[in-house]
Amino acid sequence: MGRIGIFWFLLAVTLLVYGLLVGWAGQDMIALTNGAAIPDLRVTGYGVDDIRALLDGAEPGFPEAYARISRTWDVAVPVLFGVTFAYGIWLGGGAWRWLALVPVVMGLSDLTENALVTQSLLAGPDALDPGTIGRASAATMLKWLLLPVSILLLVATFFKTRARASKG
């Protein structure tokens, strides 16, 4: 399997695992929140009041269920996205290889978000730390900012390598 084949394999695995996270585990999380938005999905961020409201309205056991998902499936997804997108961009060669850091930072932001949100949810509504939630929110917003940038870089790399192949 060549370098491009490895990329397509990684992308298929990434999308499969992401589909399972969103379609299976994500639906369970939404049910436990009684329809409230999970912090990971809040593109514009969140604060202490948002997390407190989420905890107050969620079913018992939500923080523990979130912790299980964030320590399993939601570790695999950011790692897979980061590695797959970085590898795809890396294939562009030259200066593009530096741009492969963008999805790596996106994945690290997602992992940071997961750890900080888990810590906050497990602390409970009466022990929420504004600093921890602020860092979690910043990591969430950075993740959502870098996701479309990573996708655009990956698509641009695809067109760059196709153009290079047609000339060569």
Side-chain angles (χ1 to χ4, degrees):
M1 178 183 311
R3 294 181 312 161
I4 300 298
I6 292 170
F7 167 75
W8 288 113
F9 174 76
L10 284 170
L11 185 61
V13 170
T14 299
L15 294 176
L16 174 67
V17 172
Y18 179 74
L20 289 171
L21 172 66
V22 171
W24 172 64
Q27 296 308 310
D28 290 345
M29 289 294 99
I30 291 170
L32 287 171
T33 66
N34 292 313
I38 295 171
D40 305 47
L41 303 177
R42 296 179 184 214
V43 178
T44 58
Y46 41 87
V48 172
D49 291 339
D50 298 311
I51 301 300
R52 185 173 288 116
L54 172 64
L55 286 167
D56 289 343
E59 296 292 326
F62 167 70
E64 293 78 15
Y66 181 93
R68 274 193 308 279
I69 297 298
S70 76
R71 293 175 179 153
T72 55
W73 289 96
D74 214 7
V75 168
V77 168
V79 168
L80 283 168
F81 265 106
V83 167
T84 301
F85 282 42
Y87 182 69
I89 295 166
W90 180 267
L91 293 175
W96 284 80
R97 291 193 168 160
W98 287 102
L99 296 172
L101 290 173
V102 172
V104 170
V105 173
M106 177 194 70
L108 292 172
S109 296
D110 197 350
L111 292 170
T112 300
E113 162 204 73
N114 294 341
L116 294 173
V117 168
T118 297
Q119 178 184 343
S120 296
L121 293 175
L122 291 174
D126 297 328
L128 296 175
D129 175 45
T132 301
I133 292 172
R135 288 187 299 281
S137 181
T140 300
M141 291 186 291
L142 181 60
K143 169 188 79 173
W144 285 112
L145 173 71
L146 294 180
L147 177 61
V149 172
S150 297
I151 292 169
L152 288 172
L153 287 170
L154 188 60
V155 170
T157 302
F158 174 78
F159 284 112
K160 177 184 183 279
T161 55
R162 299 247 332 162
R164 185 174 60 207
S166 68
K167 288 180 183 178

